[in-house]
Amino acid sequence: MLDILLVQLSKPSVWLWLAIALVISYAIHRFGRLLLRMLRDQIGARMMLVLNWLWLLVVVGSYVAYATYKIYLPNVPVLFALGQNIAEGFRNTAGQAVVIVALALIAWRMVGNFSDRIVSDDEFNRRNVRVQTLKGVVESTLKVIIIIISLIAALQALGVNATSLLAGVSVLGLAVGFGAQSLIKDVFTGFFILLEDQYGVGDVITVNSGTLSGNVEQLNLRVTVLRALDGTVHIVPNGQINTVSVSSKDWSRVVATVDVTYQANINEALRVLKAVSDELYAEEEWRRYFLEEPEIQGVTQLAPDGVTLRALYKVLPKSQYAVGREFNRRIKIAMDQAGIEIPFPQRSLNFGGAPIEIRLTRDDSGHGPPEQNRTQSPVKPSETRDPEEED
C-alpha cells in the first residue's frame, strides 16, 4: 500500500487534481456556512455551533475519501468506495451545479475582500483619487464577469448549448444597442473619464458651466454622483456631461481680495495685505497648505463703491476654502487695527440740473472696533468647499 501511495504521489496530475478538489471543498464549505447563517434566527447558538462543526467534518471526510479514490488506494475499502461515489456524483448535473455556485460564491467574496483591503491614505492627492475611483469600477466589473461566467457554466451543466444561446443574445444585444444609444454614450464617456483621469472620487467639480456642482461621491462607467453643499445628491449620466470644471486638480488657488474706500491710504492698505499674507505663509499651521509664496498683485479694480486689492495664494487642492476663510478673518481685523475702512454703498441722484448726493453712513459713536488677536482664531476654519456662484 505504501509503495502504491508513493508511486501515485510522484505523478504531477494527482497533485493537480488534489489541489482542485481542495479548492472545490473549500468553496462548498463556505457555501454551506452561508446557508447555515441564513438559519441563524431559527436555531439556537448551540445548535449553530454543532451544525458548523458537523458540516466541517462532512467536507473534510469527503475530501479525504476523494483523495483516497484519486490516489487509487483500493485497500481502504470504505473511503475508496465513498470517494468513487463522490467523483461520479460531481460528474452529474446536480453536482456540477453545486460546484459552480460554490466557486462563484468564493470568487464573489474574494473580489469584495480584495476591494476592502485597498484603503487609500487620508491625504488628498491624484493617486488616492484614482485608487478610490478605480476601486469601485473594477469591483463592479469583476462581479459582472463572475455572474456571466457562472451563468454560462450553469447552462452548460444543465445541458443547454451556451454557444448558440450566446449567439442569440448577441443579436438581441445588437438590436437593443440601437435603441439604447444614450446608455452606450454614457459608458464610452465614463471609460474616457477614467482613462484620462479627468476627475475622480473626492474631487470637487462643476459640470456643464455651472449647472451642477459638488463633491464626487461615486463614479462608474455610467453615472457620476455629486454631493452638493446642502447635501443634495445629483446623479449625472456621463453622456450628458459636456464640460467639467475641476476645483481640486493638482493644485488650487485662493483669490484673496479686499475692498477699501477711496479715502483710504492705498499704500498702507497694500502693506496690511502683504503683512497678513506673509503672516499666514510664515505660520506652521498654515504653511503646510502653501505651494508657493503669496503673490501680491496690488490694485486690481476701481469699483463704484471702493478700490479692490488682490493677492494670490497657490495652495494644495481642496485647501483653498479653509485658507480663504482664515484670510477673510485676519484681513478684517488687520484693516480695523490700521484704521482702514471697508467701503459701503454710495449713490448719487440727480433731480433736474442739481445733483443730490445720498450717503449711507453708520454711527460708530466714537468707539472703534474692539481689540482682537488675528493670529488666534476662536474656531478652526472648515475645509468644506464654498458654494459656487451659480448654486
Side-chain angles (χ1 to χ4, degrees):
M1 178 178 175
L2 181 59
D3 296 338
I4 298 177
L5 178 62
L6 294 176
V7 171
Q8 292 295 327
L9 292 179
S10 64
K11 299 178 180 179
S13 60
V14 173
W15 286 103
L16 177 62
W17 279 109
L18 291 179
I20 294 174
L22 182 62
V23 173
I24 294 175
S25 299
Y26 176 74
I28 293 175
H29 174 255
R30 297 289 300 181
F31 180 61
R33 291 286 299 272
L34 177 63
L35 295 179
L36 289 176
R37 279 197 296 269
M38 296 174 60
L39 301 175
R40 181 179 299 173
D41 296 336
Q42 284 72 30
I43 60 179
R46 188 183 300 274
M47 180 59 68
M48 185 73 179
L49 182 62
V50 172
L51 290 178
N52 283 331
W53 279 105
L54 182 60
W55 177 243
L56 178 61
L57 291 175
V58 170
V59 174
V60 172
S62 300
Y63 176 76
V64 172
Y66 178 80
T68 302
Y69 166 74
K70 203 63 186 177
I71 298 175
Y72 197 76
L73 299 175
N75 295 329
V76 187
V78 177
L79 292 179
F80 184 84
L82 179 60
Q84 185 177 11
N85 293 332
I86 292 174
E88 293 177 355
F90 280 113
R91 294 192 185 99
N92 299 327
T93 300
Q96 293 179 12
V98 171
V99 172
I100 292 170
V101 172
L103 292 177
L105 175 64
I106 291 299
W108 187 281
R109 293 292 298 272
M110 288 180 62
V111 169
N113 293 336
F114 178 75
S115 177
D116 293 338
R117 291 179 180 272
I118 303 177
V119 180
S120 58
D121 301 331
D122 294 333
E123 181 183 358
F124 181 86
N125 52 50
R126 297 314 305 171
R127 177 184 177 278
N128 292 337
V129 168
R130 298 207 74 181
V131 167
Q132 289 289 346
T133 304
L134 294 176
K135 173 183 174 182
V137 174
V138 172
E139 181 180 1
S140 59
T141 303
L142 289 178
K143 288 183 176 180
V144 170
I145 293 175
I146 291 172
I147 293 175
I148 294 175
I149 294 177
S150 301
L151 182 60
I152 294 174
L155 291 175
Q156 291 279 30
L158 295 174
V160 179
N161 189 353
T163 304
S164 59
L165 182 62
L166 286 176
V169 171
S170 301
V171 175
L172 179 61
L174 184 62
V176 173
F178 285 106
Q181 296 183 16
S182 60
L183 178 61
I184 297 175
K185 182 181 179 181
D186 294 341
V187 172
F188 272 96
T189 304
F191 172 76
F192 282 106
I193 289 174
L194 295 172
L195 179 66
E196 300 171 359
D197 190 26
Q198 298 177 12
Y199 59 87
V201 175
D203 275 323
V204 177
I205 68 171
T206 302
V207 301
N208 297 339
S209 302
T211 303
L212 295 173
S213 66
N215 191 74
V216 180
E217 282 199 345
Q218 182 182 348
L219 171 63
N220 54 41
L221 293 177
R222 193 178 67 85
V223 297
T224 297
V225 180
L226 301 179
R227 174 76 66 172
L229 189 64
D230 61 355
T232 303
V233 175
H234 302 296
I235 302 175
V236 186
N238 293 330
Q240 296 184 12
I241 298 177
N242 297 319
T243 59
V244 179
S245 303
V246 185
S247 303
S248 53
K249 185 82 168 182
D250 299 329
W251 56 272
S252 299
R253 175 170 283 155
V254 178
V255 182
T257 60
V258 60
D259 293 339
V260 298
T261 62
Y262 278 94
Q263 290 77 26
N265 186 329
I266 297 299
N267 291 336
E268 180 64 22
L270 286 173
R271 280 191 287 269
V272 172
L273 176 62
K274 187 176 188 309
V276 171
S277 301
D278 293 342
E279 183 180 272
L280 267 176
Y281 182 73
E283 289 188 12
E284 183 179 356
E285 179 183 1
W286 298 99
R287 174 67 178 84
R288 59 191 179 92
Y289 293 118
F290 284 82
L291 298 176
E292 294 178 357
E293 293 185 6
E295 176 186 351
I296 310 300
Q297 291 195 314
V299 178
T300 58
Q301 186 178 9
L302 302 178
D305 297 324
V307 181
T308 302
L309 313 179
R310 185 168 69 193
L312 297 179
Y313 306 158
K314 186 176 181 180
V315 296
L316 294 174
K318 296 183 74 173
S319 66
Q320 67 267 33
Y321 310 116
V323 176
R325 294 185 186 107
E326 180 65 11
F327 166 80
N328 291 336
R329 186 187 70 85
R330 296 193 181 202
I331 197 66
K332 169 63 171 62
I333 297 175
M335 288 296 183
D336 289 343
Q337 292 174 345
I340 300 175
E341 189 176 10
I342 295 177
F344 49 87
Q346 302 181 27
R347 298 291 183 268
S348 295
L349 300 178
N350 291 327
F351 292 92
I356 300 177
E357 185 176 2
I358 301 177
R359 295 175 60 86
L360 303 178
T361 62
R362 55 178 179 268
D363 184 12
D364 293 333
S365 302
H367 299 291
E371 189 66 24
Q372 303 179 68
N373 186 351
R374 70 170 181 263
T375 61
Q376 295 182 357
S377 174
V379 296
K380 182 175 178 59
S382 170
E383 296 187 3
T384 306
R385 74 178 187 92
D386 292 333
E388 303 292 337
E389 295 181 359
E390 295 83 354
D391 285 357

